[in-house]
Amino acid sequence: MRQLQVHIDSNSGFCFGVIYAIQMAEDLLEEQGYLYCLGDIVHNDVEVERLQQKGLRIINYDILQTLRDECVLIRAHGEPPSTYQLALQNNLTLVDASCPVVLKLQNRIKSSFDKKDQIFIYGKHGHAEVLGLLGQTNNEAVVFENLDELLRHELPQNITLYSQTTKSTDNFYRIKSELETRGYSVDANDTICRQVSNRDKELRRFAQQYAKVIFVSGTKSSNGRVLYQVCKDTNPNTYFVSKVEELNPDWFEPGDTIGVCGATSTPMWLMEEVRNALVTF
């Protein structure tokens, strides 16, 4: 026995947007036995599997087009206007669990687009939230993942800048500053969720306290990748796992202090499972 001392980060776990979506799904599953959900309800495979066992049916847009007279959950990431139009045509009842922070951002982008602003969105290509944002602009806004990619575009003199809600605040302001240095006029709308960006600072403090850190996240989570890097930069002895089976006893020395933390899409029950496994090593 290595007698590891293991602590879970109390600030980790689902953000309120995900808690809200999962609570809605669980309530409806209890009521009607099954529920369609457009895309993964959360970017965490084990949580999705848990809900699928309760009757959650994950569908894509192709399947959505074939459904009639059914109830479909819109997850926290939000959806473009075209999804709502399709629901009307097919007589679908949409249970809208879009995160309030995302909805507010969609409305701001729609207003900007209506004013004919030249909109650039700092975000991940193809990400569910980003597709919902693009839909507010008839897919005319430009999405970019980093400054190099942005600078490859022919940029207008006046740039209206937005961000996916889970991006790094520091990077967002770095991009704004670099554009201004190059002579562009930037209307920067900081639309990053503070529950996510504050976790950045909290995790730095957390990761410093332990000999080793286990970061628990689904492999599809953008937020997970960003926060894992925050931990790794702060404490090089940080390991990424998406499930308990990926833990390796060889990572640890006898008596190590271990911090367990995760993304905004990581369920607390999974981090508890990881802790319970570690104390048996």
Side-chain angles (χ1 to χ4, degrees):
M1 288 282 283
R2 288 179 170 78
Q3 294 183 312
L4 304 174
Q5 298 170 49
V6 188
H7 302 277
I8 297 176
D9 173 26
S10 60
N11 293 308
S12 283
F14 290 151
C15 61
F16 71 85
V18 173
I19 291 170
Y20 175 64
I22 287 174
Q23 189 62 61
M24 279 178 119
E26 288 187 316
D27 289 349
L28 283 159
L29 287 168
E30 208 161 294
E31 206 175 288
Q32 56 191 43
Y34 75 95
L35 174 67
Y36 290 102
C37 177
L38 186 52
D40 285 347
I41 189 166
V42 60
H43 287 152
N44 188 283
D45 291 344
V46 286
E47 178 67 1
V48 170
E49 282 163 22
R50 182 184 77 83
L51 290 165
Q52 282 175 320
Q53 283 164 7
K54 292 185 170 213
L56 191 71
R57 301 174 185 177
I58 306 289
I59 59 168
N60 57 23
Y61 289 106
D62 291 342
I63 295 171
L64 184 73
Q65 287 173 355
T66 67
L67 287 184
R68 297 285 183 284
D69 312 318
E70 288 284 1
C71 181
V72 179
L73 182 83
I74 301 293
R75 60 203 171 151
H77 298 103
E79 281 294 318
S82 54
T83 300
Y84 295 87
Q85 286 155 7
L86 181 63
L88 280 173
Q89 287 163 25
N90 289 6
N91 197 34
L92 299 173
T93 302
L94 292 185
V95 179
D96 200 339
S98 299
C99 172
V101 178
V102 173
L103 286 178
K104 189 175 171 190
L105 168 55
Q106 286 187 354
N107 291 334
R108 285 177 68 175
I109 287 182
K110 174 80 170 69
S111 299
S112 273
F113 180 68
D114 291 345
K115 289 191 304 194
K116 307 278 192 290
D117 290 342
Q118 302 263 5
I119 299 170
F120 291 79
I121 301 169
Y122 173 42
K124 184 183 174 193
H125 291 288
H127 188 281
E129 182 192 321
V130 172
L131 297 177
L133 301 178
L134 270 175
Q136 311 305 317
T137 71
N138 288 339
N139 295 329
E140 289 175 28
V142 174
V143 175
F144 66 96
E145 295 193 9
N146 52 52
L147 187 65
D148 288 347
E149 185 186 348
L150 176 61
L151 294 173
R152 286 200 290 273
H153 290 276
E154 201 169 307
L155 299 176
Q157 186 51 46
N158 297 314
I159 293 170
T160 301
L161 193 60
Y162 283 96
S163 172
Q164 182 180 336
T165 58
T166 52
K167 287 309 235 184
S168 153
T169 321
D170 290 350
N171 287 350
F172 179 79
Y173 282 105
R174 213 170 283 135
I175 289 162
K176 172 185 186 284
S177 167
E178 181 61 33
L179 287 170
E180 287 174 342
T181 302
R182 289 166 180 260
Y184 295 102
S185 166
V186 184
D187 174 15
N189 298 272
D190 176 352
T191 50
I192 293 163
C193 174
R194 285 303 177 261
Q195 215 185 345
V196 175
S197 64
N198 290 344
R199 202 165 282 189
D200 200 309
K201 300 175 194 69
E202 289 158 359
L203 272 183
R204 280 184 220 284
R205 280 197 294 273
F206 180 79
Q208 283 167 354
Q209 297 172 43
Y210 300 96
K212 311 274 164 61
V213 173
I214 302 297
F215 188 87
V216 188
S217 171
T219 51
K220 294 178 189 168
S221 169
S222 307
N223 161 257
R225 271 194 292 280
V226 170
L227 293 178
Y228 165 66
Q229 203 51 56
V230 165
C231 285
K232 187 85 173 158
D233 291 346
T234 308
N235 184 337
N237 295 317
T238 295
Y239 300 93
F240 184 102
V241 300
S242 55
K243 50 182 184 280
V244 174
E245 292 76 13
E246 292 169 4
L247 290 168
N248 182 347
D250 296 340
W251 292 341
F252 310 107
E253 304 295 326
D256 266 350
T257 56
I258 315 288
V260 175
C261 53
T264 54
S265 52
T266 304
M268 186 54 78
W269 65 261
L270 181 58
M271 288 183 279
E272 286 166 355
E273 276 191 4
V274 166
R275 176 197 59 200
N276 296 345
L278 288 169
V279 295
T280 66
F281 285 174

